[in-house]
Amino acid sequence: MGRRADTLHKRAYQHRTANGVEAMLCEVLALANEHVALPASGGTCSLSDSVRDMAAYSKLTDSVFKYIELRTDVDELGPARALLHKIHTRQHHRYIGESVLSDSDAAREKSKQQWQQECAAAVVRHLRQLEPEDRGGSDPELAAMVRGVSAAELEVQVVKINYGKGAANPVDHCLFYGRDNEEIATKISATQVSAMIPTVFEERYLRLYSRNRDSRLKPLLRQAFEAYRREHPAALSAPTPVPSPSRPLAAGGTEGARGGGGDGGAKRRLPVSAALGGGGGGGGGGGTPKKTRS
């Protein structure tokens, strides 16, 4: 069960795209906080104050996003409405990269907030220290964009995925009933379960996003993030995965064959004679099966 939950969190629940959208939705709620009045027991309250008033909290549903979209007459909701539009049109925060936080003391001694603040400040610092030609020396617009990047434009997340019991093995905290005595529950050792039990039950990732979606800025931010990772080899143990190059499309609009060849990946259909075991003729038409006398 723990392994299944771990897989679901990696592939869906805490996928980098899902977490990026979730962060944007949190920003929408923060922008609309003081401009959405919920009916409360003592009148009205804001979105954040509704957690202390059950009458208001019970009315807080996903419909608040539709309310923000439709209330075009409320100018104060304009920034939140614009951010919602970006989500709907897939203009998400640009994913820059991630690194695995090791289980060392150097990684554990810092809190989530400390990692977020330190990473954002360090990436901005390394971005300014890049070579002039890397910072858009021949592109004045890109150079100005690099100079204007601040920590507020970066979204740093610390993602935690485990088997449900933190860094501990959940089986160590369970009791089991045996067939010999069904009235007494006892603990069992890991070797009684399987010989293929992992030794690490929790992973943490440091992820970086950019609110600036300019494609020219992404490789520079990735370089700065990698420079920050190299500063902490004991804590940030794994580099950012480099995306694989996209395969060129063939003339027919399909991807090239994985095994090589210039036919655009199209499958070759064997002649009927070849399928029946006949001899191969010239020109690719295949030979005619030989007749045998009975």
Side-chain angles (χ1 to χ4, degrees):
M1 291 175 61
R3 180 60 180 170
R4 185 69 58 84
D6 169 75
T7 302
L8 288 173
H9 274 273
K10 285 183 177 179
R11 295 185 178 181
Y13 306 148
Q14 299 201 64
H15 187 268
R16 65 190 188 188
T17 302
N19 277 13
V21 173
E22 182 180 292
M24 295 180 72
L25 290 175
C26 290
E27 292 179 28
V28 170
L29 295 176
L31 290 171
N33 180 42
E34 299 295 336
H35 310 296
V36 176
L38 295 174
S41 55
T44 60
C45 68
S46 63
L47 294 176
S48 58
D49 292 336
S50 64
V51 297
R52 291 180 286 272
D53 190 304
M54 293 310 300
Y57 189 72
S58 62
K59 299 179 179 63
L60 183 59
T61 64
D62 290 347
S63 61
V64 67
F65 295 113
K66 184 60 66 176
Y67 175 86
I68 295 172
E69 284 187 283
L70 298 179
R71 289 303 304 268
T72 55
D73 58 316
V74 182
D75 295 337
E76 292 79 5
L77 290 176
R81 194 160 44 246
L83 192 55
L84 267 180
H85 178 72
K86 288 184 177 181
I87 296 175
H88 292 160
T89 55
R90 294 191 63 82
Q91 300 179 54
H92 304 157
H93 293 340
R94 180 80 70 179
Y95 170 77
I96 303 301
E98 67 181 30
S99 181
V100 178
L101 283 168
S102 67
D103 199 33
S104 64
D105 294 337
R108 291 286 180 183
E109 65 184 6
K110 295 180 183 178
S111 65
K112 175 181 177 180
Q113 290 74 20
Q114 288 176 322
W115 275 117
Q116 291 173 323
Q117 295 172 4
E118 179 185 291
C119 178
V123 168
V124 173
R125 172 169 51 86
H126 284 295
L127 185 65
R128 306 271 172 79
Q129 293 175 353
L130 292 177
E131 295 296 331
E133 56 270 16
D134 294 334
R135 289 187 281 117
S138 59
D139 188 344
E141 183 182 355
L142 178 58
M145 188 187 307
V146 170
R147 290 193 300 269
V149 172
S150 64
E153 294 184 25
L154 304 177
E155 170 73 23
V156 182
Q157 297 181 359
V158 177
V159 181
K160 184 186 299 183
I161 300 176
N162 54 50
Y163 278 23
K165 202 64 177 178
N169 183 356
V171 178
D172 294 339
H173 299 267
C174 296
L175 297 176
F176 298 87
Y177 290 93
R179 294 182 179 179
D180 297 335
N181 191 343
E182 297 182 355
E183 297 181 358
I184 300 178
T186 59
K187 290 186 177 182
I188 62 176
S189 62
T191 55
Q192 292 178 267
V193 179
S194 173
M196 299 179 62
I197 292 181
T199 57
V200 178
F201 300 92
E202 182 178 71
E203 287 182 331
R204 295 191 304 159
Y205 301 89
L206 190 68
R207 284 180 180 167
L208 178 65
Y209 299 83
S210 172
R211 292 180 173 85
N212 190 327
R213 287 184 48 82
D214 196 296
S215 59
R216 296 172 297 175
L217 190 60
K218 179 178 179 177
L220 304 182
L221 287 172
R222 183 182 287 269
Q223 290 183 45
F225 183 67
E226 286 302 312
Y228 168 66
R229 185 191 65 80
R230 289 191 294 269
E231 286 183 341
H232 304 275
L236 301 174
S237 57
T240 300
V242 178
S244 58
S246 58
R247 298 189 183 95
L249 294 180
T254 59
E255 292 185 355
R258 295 185 178 181
D263 56 355
K267 294 182 179 179
R268 298 177 61 185
R269 182 173 297 176
L270 292 176
V272 177
S273 58
L276 295 176
T288 303
K290 297 180 179 179
K291 296 181 180 180
T292 59
R293 295 183 180 179
S294 57

